[in-house]
Amino acid sequence: MTVPTAVLLARDDVTIRRFAERDADVRRWTELDRGGAYLALEAPELLAADVRAFFGPLASA
């Protein structure tokens, strides 16, 4: 996949990074120590900051 991809993992999420990077153009990888399935409700400031950090550089490209 050639689409720039961001991965944000909350406390309870499990994934294997090498598979994600093998199959996608991972530009940002973030692992949080808090949050969970409802991250947008539990820690909206963390989600918003990560979305901004991912899309900021892409907007100027």
Side-chain angles (χ1 to χ4, degrees):
M1 180 176 6
T2 60
V3 176
T5 304
V7 177
L8 180 107
L9 302 171
R11 172 185 67 202
D12 299 329
D13 292 337
V14 176
T15 190
I16 299 175
R17 186 174 183 161
R18 65 185 164 118
F19 292 127
E21 291 175 337
R22 179 193 67 191
D23 297 335
D25 180 14
V26 177
R27 304 274 181 99
R28 183 170 179 82
W29 187 280
T30 306
E31 295 184 21
L32 302 175
D33 59 352
R34 64 185 180 121
Y38 302 102
L39 184 62
L41 296 173
E42 297 171 19
E45 70 285 353
L46 295 177
L47 177 60
D50 201 65
V51 169
R52 285 188 197 106
F54 174 68
F55 281 106
L58 293 177
S60 62

